[in-house]
Amino acid sequence: MQLPTLEIGAGEQVLLTGGSGTGKSTLLHLIAGLIDPAEGRVEIAGQSVHALAGAKRDLFRGQHVGMIFQTFHLLEGFTARENVLAALMFSSIPPREHDQRAADLLARLGVQRIDAAAGELSVGQQQRVAVARAVACGPALVLADEPTASLDPENAARAMDVIQSACRDQNAALLCTSHDPSMVARFPRSLALESIATFAGESNPQEAR
Amino acid sequence: MPMTDMSLVTRSLRAHRLSTIVTALMVAIGVALLMVLLTVRDSASRAFLRGTGNMHLLVSAQESRLESVLNSVFHSGIPQRVVTWDKFQAVASLPPVDWALATVQGDNYRGYATMGVQSPFFEKFLPDGASPMTLASGTFFRAGEAGVFDVVLGSSAAAGTGLKVGDTLTITHGTDEKGHVHDEFKFTVSGVLSPTGTAHDRVVFVTAESKWIVHADEFRAQAARAAGKSEHEEPTTANLTPAEKPVTAIYVKMRATPTIAQVATIVRNELGLTAAYPASEIRRLLGIVGNADVVLIGIAIIVMLSGALSVMLALYNSMEHRRRQLAVLRVLGASQERLLSLVLSESAAIGLIGAVIGLVVAAIAGQVTAAFLSGALGVPISGAVDPVWAIIVVSGAVLLSALAGLVPAIRAYRTPVISSLRPIG
């Protein structure tokens, strides 16, 4: 995949569309620093992500990039509150503020049983916990990878409302991938991956270490 | 409460509760076994070495030096050969000798060995090498004829028999409590000793003179019967002949330690007696027994290693189920090194839990084992866990468990993030 310059402004919300297997997820992993580019660079909040190595890059990701997954990936055996606290562990926010911040964030996003095991919550509530975790550290950018792919249209709309409003509240830019054409209307800017990138041959990107 | 590495570790341990308990118990068994063996071994060594007190030589007529020490210091049996009174006096009068204490063994009271000693014994012989015997109640042997049949009880003998100052008793011939009772001679308890932490605590001390009188009375009666007489002269301290004053062993202390070997040579070559260095003999015994210790301690260490191995297997297997969780932590900002450290902390925590359980078990099992061995060996063995060994063994168990966690920790370190986060199903 060759991608010319793509810039997303602070607090801007961008939809990235494309069919299955076109590389939307790979692009998000690249931006998050989980994959190294063959060439070029990714800058977030003025920092070249791939110029950082190892633990520094991981910490930078934890503090500046939030990620939302299609299947939420909440931590098993942890409560809703603890899922958010786990994200805050790696932030620069003073630990004494973590508990209150997690509780406030979950309350604002409408999570009712914050001390219930995440696995016991409804799908909708789990989605909200995942969003709260992604924005907990006040990230510059939230990457949402097909966040509504497994939801029916009604729940998908609700989930997107939550994600988009949470990002607006935190002034975090949002880059959301989807293959659902109906999502285009929700975003002021949408890009089809096939139109902004060129593809040559087969690739097998190596995970960053 | 903010989340910390420690809370992540405790959460993981709770999430795998059964596995945590089983592996911790495996570690606990190894720790408990090792602690009990080390505690009892050290305590037994100390008890044996302490019992020889401040004597430099043990002189007896027995052939085996080790046997003479075991019999005359630890009361494991009765010497079969005796030292004559003349030879005792010859030893006592050697110029380098500071003091020589005659002891007369044989007889028991309800299974507790009696030992005939003369009054200076309590003053001169320091059973623990540092301080003389002291009284918990009563007095030592009274002076003169009034005190000939006085008894001073070691602390364990007093506790075991229930005797107290003023009580009377008769002693039984030999080591078997069902033997012939010398019921014609009544003894009176004059004092009870404070504990010394040595084999002497289990001894019923009587005067050497009373022993000689009791047995001289029997011999004189037999001699009278053989001569067709119905009566015999009753023995007293005044009319005892040298032949009626056999000694089973002599505790000897020199004025200066360099003369010990010289006296030992004289005793062996000129008097034809056995001179044993008690502390050396006990060290020799412990050296022999020590080989068995090494095997037992080796087994305990193997059990500990098995515990560590079970920690490794349990954590390694759990890594497969935790791949997604580890990958999520990476996305949230945890470095590979942090995951490695979390798994190592988890394995060390299992080791610590196991070690603490093991220590508690060892504290109980140590007391039970020590009580059994004290009864079997006749020396007071303490089952109290040695804090130095406790620190060493607990640290070792934690370190071993942490090392065992290295393989699963490396697996956690290498967890691929992207493939682990692919949508379920």
Side-chain angles (χ1 to χ4, degrees):
Chain A
M1 183 198 299
Q2 288 192 335
L3 187 70
T5 301
L6 169 62
E7 196 167 322
I8 300 172
E12 189 182 3
Q13 300 195 343
V14 177
L15 177 70
L16 188 65
T17 61
S20 294
T22 50
K24 301 188 296 296
S25 296
T26 301
L27 181 58
L28 294 196
H29 294 149
L30 180 79
I31 293 170
L34 295 169
I35 295 173
D36 289 330
E39 58 183 282
R41 64 200 174 104
V42 175
E43 269 187 24
I44 297 173
Q47 172 66 52
S48 174
V49 174
H50 298 93
L52 298 170
K56 283 185 180 168
R57 192 194 293 182
D58 291 321
L59 196 59
F60 179 82
R61 177 172 57 248
Q63 293 177 346
H64 297 280
V65 182
M67 291 190 82
I68 300 169
F69 306 96
Q70 180 185 330
T71 46
F72 318 144
H73 290 321
L74 297 180
L75 293 166
E76 284 175 35
F78 285 58
T79 65
R81 186 204 299 267
E82 287 166 348
N83 263 278
V84 180
L85 288 174
L88 285 165
M89 262 182 84
F90 305 99
S91 74
S92 54
I93 298 164
R96 64 177 180 280
E97 295 174 19
H98 287 188
D99 213 39
Q100 193 59 49
R101 185 177 174 87
D104 289 348
L105 201 52
L106 288 163
R108 270 211 305 282
L109 289 171
V111 177
Q112 285 136 8
R113 296 161 57 208
I114 65 171
D115 289 317
E120 294 173 4
L121 299 174
S122 67
V123 172
Q125 290 278 298
Q126 287 186 34
Q127 173 84 286
R128 287 164 195 263
V129 175
V131 174
R133 188 176 69 183
V135 300
C137 300
L141 173 66
V142 171
L143 302 170
D145 192 8
E146 301 274 6
T148 60
S150 58
L151 303 177
D152 59 60
E154 194 179 337
N155 281 315
R158 281 203 197 114
M160 284 313 301
D161 286 346
V162 171
I163 293 168
Q164 288 183 290
S165 64
C167 289
R168 266 194 297 274
D169 284 353
Q170 300 291 324
N171 196 33
L174 170 65
L175 179 60
C176 179
T177 66
S178 178
H179 61 267
D180 178 2
S182 71
M183 295 281 281
V184 173
R186 303 189 67 95
F187 285 83
R189 183 182 171 197
S190 65
L191 304 163
L193 187 59
E194 294 91 333
S195 67
I196 60 167
T198 55
F199 303 90
E202 289 191 4
S203 68
N204 184 20
Q206 292 298 303
E207 191 169 304
R209 287 286 177 195
Chain B
M1 288 287 286
M3 191 71 72
T4 61
D5 283 13
M6 194 43 68
S7 47
L8 285 176
V9 167
T10 51
R11 194 144 304 266
S12 178
L13 291 175
R14 276 209 297 256
H16 308 94
R17 195 173 284 119
L18 183 64
S19 158
T20 301
I21 292 170
V22 170
T23 47
L25 283 179
M26 288 287 287
V27 175
I29 291 168
V31 168
L33 201 56
L34 192 56
M35 279 308 303
V36 169
L37 285 171
L38 290 172
T39 298
V40 170
R41 183 196 67 172
D42 287 1
S43 179
S45 301
R46 280 196 302 272
F48 274 110
L49 287 170
R50 193 172 49 222
T52 60
N54 62 334
M55 80 170 100
H56 290 142
L57 280 181
L58 181 77
V59 177
S60 72
Q62 291 183 264
E63 286 182 2
S64 159
R65 292 194 297 261
L66 176 58
E67 199 180 337
S68 73
V69 172
L70 292 175
N71 286 343
S72 299
V73 182
F74 298 97
H75 310 280
S76 66
I78 297 174
Q80 297 302 312
R81 297 181 182 184
V82 295
V83 178
T84 62
W85 184 247
D86 295 341
K87 286 190 176 178
F88 164 70
Q89 287 189 313
V91 172
S93 61
L94 289 170
V97 171
D98 183 13
W99 49 252
L101 303 168
T103 64
V104 188
Q105 288 181 272
D107 303 337
N108 74 91
Y109 176 70
R110 286 165 59 179
Y112 288 92
T114 64
M115 185 155 90
V117 295
Q118 293 177 301
S119 283
F121 181 88
F122 297 112
E123 177 199 338
K124 304 283 189 186
F125 179 62
L126 316 181
D128 63 355
S131 43
M133 295 179 178
T134 56
L135 287 161
S137 61
T139 63
F140 290 116
F141 304 142
R142 287 168 293 166
E145 287 297 319
V148 170
F149 288 94
D150 278 356
V151 170
V152 174
L153 297 166
S155 58
S156 301
T161 59
L163 290 172
K164 55 187 184 302
V165 174
D167 287 349
T168 57
L169 63 144
T170 51
I171 59 174
T172 306
H173 186 70
T175 53
D176 186 355
E177 56 185 303
K178 289 177 182 159
H180 165 68
V181 178
H182 300 295
D183 53 4
E184 58 278 36
F185 296 97
K186 296 283 184 205
F187 289 77
T188 306
V189 178
S190 66
V192 174
L193 295 169
S194 302
T196 64
T198 68
H200 303 288
D201 289 345
R202 295 174 57 81
V203 174
V204 173
F205 290 100
V206 296
T207 65
E209 290 79 7
S210 71
K211 286 268 201 183
W212 292 326
I213 288 171
V214 167
H215 292 99
D217 186 60
E218 279 184 10
F219 294 136
R220 290 186 187 187
Q222 283 173 8
R225 277 197 297 276
K229 296 177 185 171
S230 58
E231 289 187 357
H232 64 273
E233 184 187 15
E234 289 206 355
T236 64
T237 50
N239 68 19
L240 285 169
T241 64
E244 289 172 329
K245 296 201 285 188
V247 170
T248 50
I250 310 166
Y251 287 16
V252 183
K253 182 174 180 294
M254 313 307 158
R255 296 182 204 282
T257 48
T259 58
I260 298 173
Q262 179 199 343
V263 171
T265 305
I266 294 169
V267 166
R268 287 171 191 150
N269 297 343
E270 295 181 17
L271 299 175
L273 298 174
T274 298
Y277 303 104
S280 302
E281 291 304 318
I282 292 305
R283 283 197 190 91
R284 192 160 67 87
L285 173 67
L286 294 175
I288 297 164
V289 178
N291 293 332
D293 281 356
V294 170
V295 173
L296 289 173
I297 288 168
I299 292 169
I301 289 172
I302 289 170
V303 173
M304 267 186 79
L305 287 172
S306 307
L309 197 67
S310 71
V311 171
M312 186 188 83
L313 289 174
L315 283 177
Y316 190 83
N317 289 334
S318 77
M319 285 304 128
E320 183 57 34
H321 304 296
R322 292 156 70 179
R323 270 179 61 189
R324 192 177 304 278
Q325 181 167 329
L326 293 167
V328 170
L329 286 172
R330 287 290 314 282
V331 167
L332 293 180
S335 63
Q336 288 177 293
E337 292 77 12
R338 191 97 171 239
L339 296 189
L340 184 96
S341 137
L342 281 170
V343 177
L344 286 180
S345 303
E346 193 172 328
S347 58
I350 293 172
L352 183 62
I353 294 167
V356 170
I357 296 170
L359 272 188
V360 173
V361 174
I364 298 164
Q367 296 293 348
V368 174
T369 311
F372 169 75
L373 287 176
S374 294
L377 299 177
V379 289
I381 293 171
S382 164
V385 168
D386 180 348
V388 175
W389 274 126
I391 291 168
I392 292 170
V393 172
V394 168
S395 306
V398 172
L399 190 66
L400 207 58
S401 294
L403 282 175
L406 207 54
V407 175
I410 290 170
R411 191 172 181 189
Y413 179 93
R414 289 179 175 164
T415 298
V417 179
I418 296 167
S419 60
S420 300
L421 290 177
R422 290 216 171 94
I424 303 160

